[in-house]
Amino acid sequence: MDDFRTQFPPAEFMAWFTAFTPLTAETVPLAQARGRVVAEPLTSREALPRCPRSLMDGYAVRAADTLACSGAEAVLTVAGEVATGTSGQAHTLRPGQAIRIWTGGELPQAADAVVRAEHTRALDRDIVAVLRPVAPHENVVQAGEDYTPGAIILQAGHRLRPQDLGMLAGLGIASAQVYRQPRVAIVSTGNELVAPDQTPPPGAIRNINSTTLTALVEEAGGLALPRGICPDNFDLLLTRCTEALREADLLLLTGGSSLGRHDCTRQVFAAVAGSEILVPGVSVRLGKPAILARQGNKALFGLPGHAASALVGFLRFVRPLIRLYSGLEATLGLPTIRAIIGRPIPSTPGREEYVRVRLTPQPGGAPPLAVPVSGKSGLLGPLVQAHGLLPIGPDAEELPEGAEVTVLLFP
């Protein structure tokens, strides 16, 4: 792969991801586990619920005692109450009795159903009329109905959501073994760059990509390690990359990846100790001058300096690798929506293209219209105005108006 002008199809670019493996596992408390990926199956150590519980405020009964309601009210004696937080097993229900119970309360012994409070009428302090019959187990959740001891709760590879964490807490599981979050170092190159809080002198611009990429890394589940700006100097850039890779699992270098006079990303990546260039370029628009190298299980990415190209390059290639490191599939992992093309979209055959589009709702539940947002790769307005990206395959010359397509929504 000595020819820097070689451009690989995106599928071949991503095929090199088989050279990388998920990161090691670590145990973290549930408070830190949202969005993390389970590294080994989680198994229940107990039943959930641990005992039969009421789903309603009302009366615990024997279902058979309510059958008289099919033609008349069933009159039952109120034999007590299961107060919130107390054991229902302290009560034993006898035929013809009912025990007041609250939502979540443990059923008394011999009770097999709960009558809703609104389906009863108090005749006296100790007598209640049941207005509707109930079937056995009605308005009751049984012991172990969610999980039984030894049951697998979550398989390896599952990304933990808030409801998953709540379920684990309910089972008394206070921590989980998950894949380590990838640490992603971000270096922006270019003599023309200054920090966002500075006023650019003539010929200079503010560093945009570090801010955008930091947010994208964190949204994808990684830990961003911004390393600031580095001039277009081979020795300085090599030192900065070498230092970053001591801590990072993945290095992002923006700018310096095309054929300009000062561009040296490929040469720097090749000079990093123990590294090898895997892919020198990719045939995609936006984001063509992308480079992939590796140092063991560490990845080195060279992304374009233009804001839109850097964003597309990240979503198309870096995000899948962050997901792989995190224990997920190496896919884009972006939400999608079906849409109708609002006007013809020309395309250049021979390379995959990603068009920024804005979605406009249509009446009657029809898919939204997708309209291209025009603008060069260095402009920021089209990125802000767009809702997502429309992928166009390398064989397409034009997408006609009215065609139904899939749009990748921005995260």
Side-chain angles (χ1 to χ4, degrees), residues 66-411:
T66 69
L67 295 180
C69 298
S70 58
E73 298 176 349
V75 179
L76 304 176
T77 301
V78 180
E81 177 181 347
V82 178
T84 303
T86 63
S87 173
Q89 296 299 295
H91 304 271
T92 300
L93 196 65
R94 293 182 170 81
Q97 292 182 336
I99 292 180
R100 186 181 297 276
I101 195 168
W102 306 101
T103 301
E106 181 182 6
L107 254 64
Q109 296 186 59
D112 63 359
V114 171
V115 178
R116 293 171 178 256
E118 56 266 35
H119 296 164
T120 65
R121 180 167 60 90
L123 301 179
D124 201 321
R125 193 170 76 87
D126 298 326
I127 300 176
V128 63
V130 177
L131 308 180
R132 295 184 186 178
V134 288
H137 311 309
E138 189 170 342
N139 299 324
V140 171
V141 59
Q142 299 297 317
E145 193 168 326
D146 255 336
Y147 295 98
T148 56
I152 294 178
I153 311 164
L154 297 171
Q155 296 283 2
H158 179 86
R159 191 169 192 173
L160 291 168
R161 305 165 298 172
Q163 58 267 43
D164 303 323
L165 301 177
M167 178 268 300
L168 293 174
L171 285 164
I173 299 174
S175 61
Q177 191 169 42
V178 295
Y179 289 103
R180 183 168 60 76
Q181 289 178 277
R183 298 182 293 261
V184 183
I186 302 166
V187 178
S188 293
T189 68
N191 297 331
E192 75 281 12
L193 298 179
V194 298
D197 60 352
Q198 296 182 14
T199 299
I205 59 173
R206 292 187 176 93
N207 177 18
I208 296 168
N209 287 332
S210 285
T211 299
T212 304
L213 293 175
T214 293
L216 286 169
V217 166
E218 293 174 348
E219 187 281 330
L223 295 174
L225 306 174
R227 296 302 190 192
I229 300 167
C230 185
D232 292 317
N233 179 285
F234 177 88
D235 293 329
L236 288 176
L237 196 52
L238 177 59
T239 299
R240 188 73 64 87
C241 291
T242 301
E243 291 174 347
L245 285 168
R246 292 193 184 106
E247 182 180 2
D249 305 294
L250 192 155
L251 170 65
L252 294 183
L253 214 61
T254 66
S257 56
S258 62
L259 297 178
R261 181 168 58 90
H262 297 292
D263 295 338
C264 56
T265 298
R266 182 171 182 260
Q267 289 78 10
V268 168
F269 282 0
V272 170
S275 71
E276 62 174 322
I277 303 293
L278 300 180
V279 186
V282 60
S283 57
V284 64
R285 181 179 183 270
L286 309 161
K288 179 176 67 173
I291 301 170
L292 173 64
R294 73 165 179 169
Q295 182 195 59
N297 197 41
K298 296 175 183 281
L300 295 74
F301 269 100
L303 292 177
H306 287 165
S309 297
L311 183 144
V312 171
F314 180 95
L315 295 178
R316 184 64 179 87
F317 302 111
V318 182
R319 195 174 199 272
L321 189 55
I322 289 177
R323 287 170 54 84
L324 185 152
Y325 277 142
S326 303
L328 297 168
E329 289 186 78
T331 59
L332 301 185
L334 294 172
T336 62
I337 189 172
R338 297 296 289 174
I340 303 297
I341 293 180
R343 66 170 184 259
I345 301 177
S347 180
T348 302
R351 62 183 176 183
E352 191 174 283
E353 187 168 359
Y354 286 84
V355 178
R356 292 156 288 183
V357 294
R358 185 169 183 83
L359 300 172
T360 303
Q362 293 197 89
L369 286 179
V371 179
V373 181
S374 302
K376 298 178 181 178
S377 61
L379 298 180
L380 305 178
L383 282 179
V384 176
Q385 297 165 24
H387 293 120
L389 298 170
L390 171 60
I392 301 178
D395 299 327
E397 294 186 10
E398 180 181 87
L399 293 183
E401 181 178 352
E404 188 169 348
V405 293
T406 297
V407 174
L408 300 170
L409 298 177
F410 285 136

